[in-house]
Amino acid sequence: DMKVTQMPRYLIKRMGENVLLECGQDMSHETMYWYRQDPGLGLQLIYISYDVDSNSEGDIPKGYRVSRKKREHFSLILDSAKTNQTSVYFCASSPGTGVVERLFFGHGTKLSVL
Amino acid sequence: SQWGEENLQALSIQEGEDVTMNCSYKTYTTVVQWYRQKSGKGPAQLILIRSNEREKRSGRLRATLDTSSQSSSLSITGTLATDTAVYFCATPDTNAYKVIFGKGTHLHVLP
């Protein structure tokens, strides 16, 4: 069905709590991404995963880690969340070998850290 | 940043009007992608144009790419209220797996 699914859609956490954002895709795409989106800053790349257990930092990895144990699942983990991590987080995937020509995005997770 | 500052703007137009959005990029690219993001949703690709194409059409959409001026445009003819969204241009980075997004154009089409 060519879908990227993110869970949960909305999440409220207190500062210092751990946060797990989950993403799944049904297209057997090799490459998956986590972005965050903030007003005026556009989409900022946090991490890329090239395949299972093959992850690379993006442009703003500090404060985040990822896990990819199955090709179809990619998780973003915030250990001890901070208020400045309040944002909308998007997961994306691409068939990606060579130059990426299209990203498929999920609907996003809106995270509020109080 | 890969993208010029003119990529961040807001436009408000009447339904039925035509609109053109522009992006300029700083380093050579072989592909420019245009995405649309509606409120509460993730971005979705509208059109991709390659460096060997000067123009590409898809329905009411027309994308251009000028490698000499390092700029790309997206035009929408006969806009509808449902075209209200943020439009992003994007291009692969030197790390080809990375895609860099411009800051987007907020388009508001009034019914």
Side-chain angles (χ1 to χ4, degrees):
Chain A
D1 197 24
M2 295 181 65
K3 191 184 295 184
V4 176
T5 304
Q6 291 185 237
M7 294 291 289
R9 289 296 304 273
Y10 302 94
L11 188 60
I12 299 174
K13 287 287 193 178
R14 295 197 178 279
M15 192 171 57
E17 291 185 331
N18 298 331
V19 177
L20 173 65
L21 305 184
E22 305 208 75
C23 175
Q25 49 99 0
D26 61 3
M27 297 169 278
S28 297
H29 286 170
E30 294 182 2
T31 311
M32 296 186 74
Y33 306 78
W34 277 106
Y35 285 89
R36 66 177 280 177
Q37 186 175 42
D38 301 288
L41 295 179
L43 287 155
Q44 299 178 85
L45 180 63
I46 306 172
Y47 266 95
I48 303 175
S49 175
Y50 302 108
D51 210 328
V52 172
D53 284 331
S54 178
N55 307 315
S56 179
E57 295 180 346
D59 299 320
I60 54 162
K62 189 176 179 181
Y64 304 95
R65 62 184 174 93
V66 293
S67 175
R68 193 166 178 203
K69 297 301 181 184
K70 294 183 179 180
R71 177 171 281 191
E72 61 269 23
H73 289 129
F74 190 33
S75 301
L76 180 69
I77 302 125
L78 289 66
D79 294 315
S80 188
K82 299 173 181 54
T83 55
N84 62 7
Q85 293 178 307
T86 291
S87 187
V88 181
Y89 291 87
F90 286 99
C91 175
S93 70
S94 79
T97 50
V99 173
V100 175
E101 294 195 340
R102 182 174 179 179
L103 296 185
F104 294 79
F105 281 88
H107 283 300
T109 294
K110 186 171 183 179
L111 173 66
S112 296
V113 182
L114 306 179
Chain B
S1 170
Q2 162 74 314
W3 301 100
E5 283 303 316
E6 66 268 29
N7 300 320
L8 175 63
Q9 57 183 316
L11 299 170
S12 187
I13 61 174
Q14 292 292 139
E15 199 171 37
E17 292 182 6
D18 300 340
V19 65
T20 297
M21 292 164 274
N22 298 291
C23 279
S24 61
Y25 53 90
K26 297 181 180 178
T27 57
Y28 177 76
T29 184
T30 59
V31 168
V32 172
Q33 308 171 31
W34 284 91
Y35 289 78
R36 177 176 67 188
Q37 184 180 21
K38 294 196 172 185
S39 180
K41 302 285 179 66
Q45 192 184 82
L46 293 174
I47 198 165
L48 177 149
I49 184 165
R50 304 177 196 278
S51 55
N52 62 352
E53 302 170 310
R54 287 191 60 81
E55 175 182 298
K56 192 164 185 180
R57 294 178 184 266
S58 176
R60 296 184 292 111
L61 305 176
R62 173 178 171 263
T64 66
L65 178 56
D66 185 341
T67 54
S68 62
S69 64
Q70 296 190 162
S71 64
S72 179
S73 71
L74 177 71
S75 298
I76 307 175
T77 57
T79 55
L80 305 170
T82 52
D83 291 325
T84 294
V86 181
Y87 291 80
F88 294 97
C89 48
T91 186
D93 195 9
T94 48
N95 170 346
Y97 288 89
K98 286 179 65 173
V99 177
I100 300 175
F101 287 81
K103 288 187 168 57
T105 296
H106 294 248
L107 176 65
H108 189 196
V109 182
L110 301 166

